Amino acid sequence: MFLEGMDELPKEGHIWASMRKTAFILGSGLLLLVAFWNTVTWHLQRFWGTSGYFWQAQWERLLSRFEGKEWTLYVIGVIEVPSLVFWSFSGLLLVVDTTGKPNFISRYRIQVGKNEPVDTKKLRQCIRTVLFNQVVISLPMLVFLYPILKLRGDPCHRELPTFHWFLLELAIFTLIEEVLFYYSHRLLHHPTFYKKIHKKHHEWTAPIGVISLYSHPIDHVTSNMLPVMVGPIVMGSHLSSITMWFSLALIITTISHCGYHLPFLPSPEFHDYHHLEFSQCYGVLGVLDHLHGTDTMFKQTKAYERDILLLGFTPLSESIPDAPKKME
């Protein structure tokens, strides 16, 4: 009954049918991934085989240096390294957002005419909120994550995970994040929660990179933190895998919000459209949006045509421009 109040939600029977289709597609995809595992990763495995000894040696040196202080090593790997990655990448984008330079990056802006330059007062408020979320919300959650991981095994185990195992973990982390993020995010768009909680994140209809973590504390817990944390708990992951996953997740969400469709980087068109039209494109991969029909409007737009990996240097806003607006 509660879900019936959601904006434009399919009927209950359709939802269950879509969820069954989701399980079938994700299960089939995982089986195919396993079936073609050796073929897909052969060249990468050769590289890992030669460099794996190097990284194992470096890890053992770290363990020796922090012997009896694994907690400190955990803090560095789970908190400090991902935070450094986030602020380094977001900081570079903020230079463009605030100055409009270099011009060759500004050319790739998705919503032309927006944030040129960004409102500095609004930006300062955003940065304060992001820092609050990281220090007051994320930090305690990551501290509490440590004893949970210890129950699943030693995250600072002496032997690093194999390359194949890390790829499997990465696939499972991604699928778990897609499911948890889609449903938690969509729930927060229900009128009961949207106005008091999720609307804060949507103050930015034309997003920039740093707002990926700009949200209400409840929103930050349910949509930003838990979908990313659950995977390593389920897999009982090694610290190295968790560090890589957290850093990668922060890079991807920053790209999704950055407002620029840059060459050779994942397309942010999907989530950028979500900030423009709030009732579309709730997920990360788009699989659940397709199955639940929450991308139908998006598929009718030029943004959908531009939602590809840009392999050249001509901005897609030029090669696939929006249709001219009709005169009233």
Side-chain angles (χ1 to χ4, degrees):
M1 293 293 293
F2 181 71
L3 290 176
E4 291 176 2
M6 281 192 176
D7 294 336
E8 301 180 11
L9 284 183
K11 293 181 179 180
E12 186 177 354
H14 179 71
I15 292 176
W16 284 110
S18 296
M19 291 180 71
R20 286 195 295 270
K21 290 179 184 177
T22 302
F24 175 77
I25 290 174
L26 296 182
S28 300
L30 189 58
L31 287 174
L32 286 173
L33 179 65
V34 172
F36 291 100
W37 197 263
N38 289 332
T39 303
V40 173
T41 63
W42 184 73
H43 290 289
L44 293 174
Q45 178 63 23
R46 288 182 63 192
F47 167 77
W48 189 266
T50 56
S51 65
Y53 297 109
F54 169 79
W55 293 114
Q56 180 66 43
Q58 301 312 306
W59 172 245
E60 290 182 2
R61 285 181 59 187
L62 275 177
L63 284 179
S64 298
R65 180 175 298 179
F66 289 92
E67 186 174 1
K69 300 178 182 178
E70 287 79 8
W71 162 249
T72 304
L73 197 57
Y74 170 84
V75 169
I76 294 172
V78 170
I79 299 173
E80 293 184 4
V81 171
S83 295
L84 180 62
V85 169
F86 172 77
W87 283 109
S88 297
F89 189 35
S90 297
L92 291 174
L93 291 169
L94 279 174
V95 172
V96 186
D97 294 327
T98 54
T99 67
K101 300 183 184 301
N103 293 328
F104 75 86
I105 292 182
S106 296
R107 292 177 60 218
Y108 297 99
R109 190 182 300 278
I110 296 173
Q111 296 188 40
V112 179
K114 302 289 183 67
N115 297 324
E116 295 183 3
V118 68
D119 184 328
T120 53
K121 182 179 179 181
K122 192 176 178 182
L123 177 60
R124 284 195 295 269
Q125 178 192 358
C126 170
I127 292 175
R128 284 195 296 267
T129 300
V130 170
L131 289 172
F132 174 87
N133 284 340
Q134 287 184 313
V135 175
V136 180
I137 309 296
S138 296
L139 184 59
M141 290 185 70
L142 294 172
V143 168
F144 187 66
L145 176 63
Y146 184 66
I148 297 176
L149 290 170
K150 292 284 283 185
L151 293 174
R152 300 282 291 117
D154 184 5
C156 297
H157 191 271
R158 180 163 294 275
E159 185 176 352
L160 288 175
T162 65
F163 179 71
H164 283 88
W165 181 254
F166 173 68
L167 286 184
L168 177 62
E169 284 186 308
L170 195 59
I172 293 174
F173 294 165
T174 302
L175 294 179
I176 290 175
E177 181 195 24
E178 170 72 3
V179 172
L180 294 181
F181 180 78
Y182 178 88
Y183 291 112
S184 64
H185 184 198
R186 192 171 176 187
L187 183 63
L188 288 173
H189 273 265
H190 186 280
T192 304
F193 305 115
Y194 180 79
K195 187 175 182 179
K196 295 180 179 179
I197 298 175
H198 193 54
K199 187 177 180 179
K200 185 178 186 69
H201 183 67
H202 278 281
E203 291 171 1
W204 293 76
T205 55
I208 61 175
V210 74
I211 77 142
S212 55
L213 301 183
Y214 175 73
S215 58
H216 186 281
I218 294 176
D219 194 352
H220 186 63
V221 171
T222 57
S223 292
N224 291 340
M225 295 299 294
L226 289 179
V228 177
M229 291 171 61
V230 169
I233 294 173
V234 170
M235 298 300 291
S237 297
H238 191 276
L239 178 61
S240 59
S241 297
I242 301 172
T243 302
M244 290 289 290
W245 166 237
F246 282 5
S247 300
L248 181 62
L250 285 168
I251 289 173
I252 295 299
T253 191
T254 303
I255 292 173
S256 296
H257 288 86
C258 73
Y260 304 99
H261 194 149
L262 298 170
F264 313 111
L265 290 180
S267 168
E269 299 278 354
F270 187 79
H271 195 72
D272 195 277
Y273 188 79
H274 173 71
H275 276 261
L276 196 61
E277 299 288 344
F278 302 165
S279 62
Q280 293 281 293
C281 308
Y282 295 105
V284 179
L285 301 176
V287 176
L288 292 173
D289 284 284
H290 175 73
L291 293 175
H292 286 298
T294 50
D295 61 354
T296 52
M297 287 174 55
F298 175 65
K299 288 178 178 177
Q300 298 171 17
T301 67
K302 289 292 184 179
Y304 175 68
E305 296 180 35
R306 294 191 291 263
D307 191 28
I308 57 176
L309 180 66
L310 177 57
L311 297 176
F313 294 99
T314 301
L316 287 171
S317 58
E318 296 179 9
S319 58
I320 311 177
D322 287 325
K325 294 183 178 179
K326 295 181 181 179
M327 299 293 291
E328 295 183 359

